[in-house]
Amino acid sequence: MTSGLYIIDAPSPNFDARELPISMIVLHYTGMESAQAAIDRLRDSEAKVSAHYLVDEDGSILRLVDERHRAWHAGRSHWRGVTDVNSASIGIEIVNPGHEFGYRPFPEAQMGALIPLVADIKDRHSITRGNVVGHSDVAPARKQDPGELFNWHALARLRLALPRPTRNLVDPGWPDAGFMLALERFGYDVRDAEAAVTAFQRRFRPELVDGEIDMECRCILLALLLPKPQGDD
């Protein structure tokens, strides 16, 4: 049990020692054809991948790696100057077939288990809302999970993630190069500009993910850079 949560231990051998304090939560989808296939891979010593937790579609939670250890979930990643994201984060795999195997919305039971898990981790480690991120946020050139169907609003309204800004939006009129500088300041790795913009859209403007910088993207990003972004949360 973790703060009232029922968690099943299913240890993975795939971990090593942390070199940084925990300051982030990274959310993933499993992107495999079944939950069992994902669990088997995350516990396979040959696969060299793992996460701290896995949340199934029925709401059951598995603990694969103790939070004290560095799980191998983020790979080559970058967020707000941190390049060893695995050392600085708790990784949560959310069972979903992903874009390759029939991407679908995340069920209520699954979100109902994920939300208190994120709340518990965030509270215990004093993680800021801006450091509760998706895999695509920290690895935009490689990943697209948890993707545009993930319900970030459900987390944001409980102050477990940043909201999508919707109020008092102002277009700063940045040229594209200015937008990319602002996106880097916000936290993204912008070396692949289109991938970074696409990741930003998946997270904060999921109804139109086209990799193109437009007025709405500029308005949203400016609001996120202000001290208290205002959203429908």
Side-chain angles (χ1 to χ4, degrees), residues 35 107 145 155 159 189:
D145 57 310
L155 274 68
R159 300 188 65 78
D189 177 354

Side-chain angles (χ1 to χ4, degrees), residues 23-115:
S23 62
M24 301 169 57
I25 297 171
V26 180
L27 303 181
H28 308 251
Y29 64 41
T30 51
M32 298 187 72
E33 293 183 81
S34 69
Q36 193 57 54
I39 293 164
D40 291 345
R41 185 162 189 266
L42 291 163
R43 300 180 70 200
D44 179 0
S45 60
E46 297 293 313
K48 306 292 186 190
V49 293
S50 61
H52 294 92
Y53 298 98
L54 177 141
V55 182
D56 206 341
E57 290 184 301
D58 64 3
S60 56
I61 303 173
L62 302 186
R63 177 170 32 232
L64 303 165
V65 173
D66 190 286
E67 290 182 17
R68 293 172 297 169
H69 304 307
R70 178 182 181 270
W72 304 338
H73 59 95
R76 222 171 41 255
S77 304
H78 169 103
W79 186 251
R80 295 185 170 175
V82 175
T83 54
D84 184 359
V85 171
N86 281 335
S87 265
S89 66
I90 302 292
I92 303 176
E93 290 278 357
I94 308 163
V95 172
N96 187 292
H99 292 82
E100 189 176 351
F101 296 112
Y103 190 42
R104 57 185 181 236
F106 297 78
E108 284 187 27
Q110 190 174 44
M111 292 299 296
L114 176 67
I115 285 169

Side-chain angles (χ1 to χ4, degrees), residues 82-189:
V82 175
T83 54
D84 184 359
V85 171
N86 281 335
S87 265
S89 66
I90 302 292
I92 303 176
E93 290 278 357
I94 308 163
V95 172
N96 187 292
H99 292 82
E100 189 176 351
F101 296 112
Y103 190 42
R104 57 185 181 236
F106 297 78
E108 284 187 27
Q110 190 174 44
M111 292 299 296
L114 176 67
I115 285 169
L117 177 63
V118 170
D120 177 62
I121 295 166
K122 184 178 181 296
D123 183 58
R124 285 188 288 105
H125 296 290
S126 301
I127 296 169
T128 65
R129 291 188 297 166
N131 277 353
V132 178
V133 294
H135 199 187
S136 59
D137 294 316
V138 302
R142 299 188 301 111
K143 297 295 180 179
Q144 48 189 342
D145 57 310
E148 61 277 4
L149 296 179
F150 182 72
N151 189 359
W152 284 104
H153 175 68
L155 274 68
R157 66 187 179 84
L158 297 171
R159 300 188 65 78
L160 301 178
L162 286 174
R164 171 185 178 157
T166 56
R167 293 182 232 150
N168 306 317
L169 297 181
V170 176
D171 183 1
W174 295 317
D176 287 359
F179 180 88
M180 297 312 300
L181 283 170
L183 195 59
E184 184 175 36
R185 180 182 167 200
F186 182 64
Y188 284 87
D189 177 354

